[in-house]
Amino acid sequence: MKVKKICLLLALLSAQLTAMASHPEFGEQPKLVVGIVVDQMRWDYLSRYYDRFTRDGLRRMIDGGFSCDNCLINYLPTITAIGHTSVYTGTTPAFHGICGNNFYIDGNKTYCTSDTTVDVVGTDNQKKGRMSPRNMLSTTIGDQLRLHTDFESKVIGISYKDRAAILPAGHSATAAYWLDTKNGQFITSTYYMTALPDWARQENKRLKQNRELQKVGEDIGRYPLCGTITTDMAIAALKGERLGRGKKTDMLCVSYSQTDVIGHEWGTRGERTDAAYLQLDKDLGRLLRALDEQVGRDNYLLFLTADHGAAHNYQFMTDHKLPAGKWRDPDMRNGVEDYIAKKLGNKKAVVSAEIDYRYFFDRKAISEQGLDLQQVKEAAMEYLRQAPHVCFVVDYEHAAQQALPAIIRDRALMGYHYRRSGDLLVVTEPGYYTYGKWSSPVGTTHGEWNPYDAHIPLLFYGWKITHGATSREVHITDIAATVCQMLHIQQPNACTGEVIVEVMK
């Protein structure tokens, strides 16, 4: 009996010491924070591919890290630029203002990171390079880290996509680099610098000499190699900038975008998608080994998540007798216009755009024709409610008063910015999604509230992280709050997320 009591006491003491060792002491920080976003990664991919993952990549994070198994996106729509911004700001479009990849600002169509006040660095492709984070209204984890250390910390963003490098890194970032696929080179803008650093030029030179990698921009079938290129650049930045080897904590933000391109083209199932995630796993293994070598296995705090998930291809679903389908025909917007004109008698078009299940109305055209905006919206809502496979049509300005399920109302409001988000939001039946230029007939897309779009992976690994998991509902906006708490720095200035306390136990 005494032996059992002694064993029990030792076990309790060991657990307490482990908890004490894992919980960050006040003021204690890792040498490096690494944020990884995998574009279009569904949560169930972790279990789907687990047995095929190597022990060096995602399986290492799962087996040795902490998994939040019920991490949800808490706004609408679920789109790439919004997801990346929400991860690092800890808030939603209502506050950070990035309301899509493309949206309107006071009536002017805007790409999320476009900035005509800057010039490209590293290529002559001005269209690809005139970018900055200026359209983002709030700060990020990296901004807060830089503020906390009097801007001694280095913060760098890297991705194939410009928005996936720029928005995570933040306003005060040391640098952000993205790929010009036309020239097969990593570039940046004068927002950050006037010339690429030597290590980046050397990486571009190496990339240019590798004809296999150069073909990525020419052949979508080679897009898994985008992950390899992104990893190479991340490792080059790690070494070239000596990240994690200075006096202050640094941050590296890496986004893998090839998975999104492949998903839109080939869907959530099949050899192409399988190959993309197995290659991603190998690339993540290389990145982890580089972090071990350059920074030290216990000296970096890493998190991995996604900006959104994806629906299964509607034809795949119907082939297996499951409800799904194509929601929007190419002439849906024309149908809305015709119905409004028939009902209100206007001669000039009043719909500026239909983007990501949202309708943007042209206030100038409405005013010039003596129309009332609310009447225009109500006419459009009448038409859309009659359309097949529509569950709800949300009038953003009156969402709080509409008869809507709480989950739709709350997510619509958290995704709504008065001057940027448009006027109406369409919520489709489960399995039905917009079919357009971003998806092939065998591919897929994303954007809605449903678990396939909104349930994303969230893994924490490394410094002060002990193995475990929680099934408690947490949100994409909780990531920034948790990382900042672990670093003992202030949260981003519009953060609405809450600390995931289980990660710190």
Side-chain angles (χ1 to χ4, degrees):
M1 190 69 177
K2 288 182 179 180
V3 174
K4 286 184 178 180
K5 287 183 177 180
I6 291 171
C7 289
L8 179 60
L9 287 170
L10 288 172
L12 290 171
L13 180 61
S14 175
Q16 186 175 5
L17 289 172
T18 299
M20 290 173 62
S22 64
H23 195 284
E25 295 295 326
F26 194 81
E28 190 180 10
Q29 293 183 334
K31 292 182 178 180
L32 180 66
V33 178
V34 182
I36 298 173
V37 177
V38 182
D39 204 327
Q40 204 186 115
M41 186 176 187
R42 292 165 53 106
W43 171 74
D44 59 353
Y45 286 168
L46 291 178
S47 58
R48 176 172 172 79
Y49 295 114
Y50 178 81
D51 291 338
R52 299 171 68 183
F53 287 148
T54 67
R55 295 191 178 275
D56 297 327
L58 278 159
R59 193 162 177 172
R60 174 178 163 182
M61 296 181 202
I62 296 167
D63 292 347
F66 191 93
S67 179
C68 298
D69 293 334
N70 193 22
C71 184
L72 303 177
I73 294 174
N74 54 345
Y75 54 78
L76 281 168
T78 47
I79 300 297
T80 296
I82 306 177
H84 281 81
T85 308
S86 298
V87 167
Y88 287 90
T89 63
T91 192
T92 69
F95 300 100
H96 63 58
I98 299 298
C99 298
N101 300 335
N102 296 279
F103 50 95
Y104 281 72
I105 299 180
D106 295 330
N108 300 309
K109 190 171 184 181
T110 305
Y111 177 64
C112 58
T113 54
S114 64
D115 186 350
T116 57
T117 69
V118 302
D119 291 315
V120 65
V121 175
T123 182
D124 57 2
N125 188 354
Q126 290 291 332
K127 183 179 178 181
K128 188 69 175 176
R130 302 187 77 180
M131 306 287 171
S132 86
R134 285 199 174 104
N135 293 324
M136 183 168 59
L137 303 178
S138 58
T139 61
T140 63
I141 301 170
D143 289 328
Q144 297 302 138
L145 180 61
R146 296 262 290 160
L147 279 165
H148 189 80
T149 63
D150 291 328
F151 302 95
E152 291 184 42
S153 295
K154 292 181 179 181
V155 176
I156 293 177
I158 293 171
S159 181
Y160 152 66
K161 292 181 180 179
D162 45 40
R163 56 187 179 269
I166 293 168
L167 298 169
H171 295 277
S172 66
T174 311
Y177 303 98
W178 54 97
L179 193 66
D180 177 3
T181 52
K182 181 179 178 181
N183 298 318
Q185 300 282 276
F186 276 97
I187 62 173
T188 188
S189 77
T190 52
Y191 180 88
Y192 305 99
M193 63 192 72
T194 57
L196 292 174
D198 183 64
W199 65 263
R201 289 196 298 271
Q202 291 299 317
E203 182 59 25
N204 274 338
K205 183 179 179 181
R206 188 193 68 80
L207 183 57
K208 201 166 187 177
Q209 291 171 345
N210 189 325
R211 185 54 189 159
E212 186 70 14
L213 296 181
Q214 278 282 302
K215 292 178 182 178
V216 166
E218 303 169 6
D219 177 10
I220 194 170
R222 298 178 184 271
Y223 262 83
L225 291 174
C226 274
T228 301
I229 293 170
T230 301
T231 303
D232 290 344
M233 187 63 173
I235 294 173
L238 182 69
K239 295 177 180 178
E241 296 288 349
R242 295 179 59 81
L243 298 179
R245 299 170 74 177
K247 293 181 180 180
K248 303 295 183 180
T249 301
D250 295 323
M251 186 168 192
L252 178 62
C253 310
V254 184
S255 179
Y256 289 95
S257 304
Q258 73 280 1
T259 44
D260 184 68
V261 177
I262 289 165
H264 282 297
E265 187 70 18
W266 288 295
T268 60
R269 291 290 186 268
E271 293 180 4
R272 301 277 194 172
T273 301
D274 292 351
Y277 279 92
L278 296 180
Q279 181 59 49
L280 170 67
D281 177 58
K282 293 176 183 177
D283 289 325
L284 288 172
R286 286 198 303 117
L287 180 59
L288 288 173
R289 288 194 295 274
L291 289 167
D292 292 345
E293 294 168 4
Q294 297 296 314
V295 186
R297 194 181 184 101
D298 299 319
N299 292 326
Y300 59 89
L301 170 64
L302 181 149
F303 67 83
L304 181 144
T305 189
D307 54 346
H308 55 75
H312 291 308
N313 175 266
Y314 68 85
Q315 190 62 56
F316 167 82
M317 294 289 278
T318 56
D319 286 347
H320 291 83
K321 301 180 181 179
L322 294 166
K326 177 173 62 174
W327 171 62
R328 180 173 65 86
D329 291 324
D331 62 349
M332 179 66 77
R333 175 179 164 181
N334 294 334
V336 172
E337 286 279 18
D338 292 344
Y339 190 85
I340 294 171
K342 183 179 179 180
K343 194 170 181 72
L344 302 180
N346 57 294
K347 302 296 183 183
K348 187 178 178 181
V350 294
V351 180
S352 296
E354 187 269 307
I355 306 173
D356 303 329
Y357 304 93
R358 298 167 300 179
Y359 280 81
F360 295 73
F361 291 109
D362 186 336
R363 282 161 168 72
K364 183 179 178 181
I366 290 170
S367 177
E368 288 176 347
Q369 298 177 89
L371 301 176
D372 178 74
L373 175 61
Q374 190 59 39
Q375 289 182 336
V376 170
K377 288 195 292 184
E378 287 173 0
M381 291 171 74
E382 284 180 15
Y383 177 82
L384 290 167
R385 283 171 176 157
Q386 297 170 24
H389 311 298
V390 172
C391 278
F392 304 99
V393 183
V394 181
D395 179 349
Y396 273 128
E397 281 195 276
H398 302 285
Q401 290 79 44
Q402 277 187 256
L404 297 167
I407 191 171
I408 302 299
R409 181 192 65 236
D410 294 347
R411 293 189 187 188
L413 288 173
M414 290 303 282
Y416 174 58
H417 189 283
Y418 177 73
R419 294 188 302 277
R420 300 184 174 196
S421 293
D423 299 284
L424 303 180
L425 171 72
V426 176
V427 180
T428 60
E429 291 177 0
Y432 286 81
Y433 57 79
T434 298
Y435 176 78
K437 64 179 181 178
W438 298 117
S439 302
S440 76
V442 296
T444 187
T445 192
H446 49 85
E448 285 286 10
W449 70 272
N450 310 76
Y452 46 76
D453 281 350
H455 189 186
I456 55 175
L458 176 55
L459 301 172
F460 289 89
Y461 179 83
W463 182 79
K464 301 296 180 180
I465 301 296
T466 56
H467 178 58
T470 180
S471 293
R472 181 175 68 86
E473 181 177 320
V474 301
H475 301 121
I476 190 172
T477 49
D478 297 336
I479 298 169
T482 303
V483 171
C484 289
Q485 182 72 19
M486 293 190 72
L487 297 179
H488 296 291
I489 65 174
Q490 188 57 272
Q491 297 171 353
N493 63 8
C495 184
T496 56
E498 299 181 0
V499 176
I500 306 171
V501 294
E502 296 93 327
V503 174
M504 302 176 64
K505 289 181 179 179

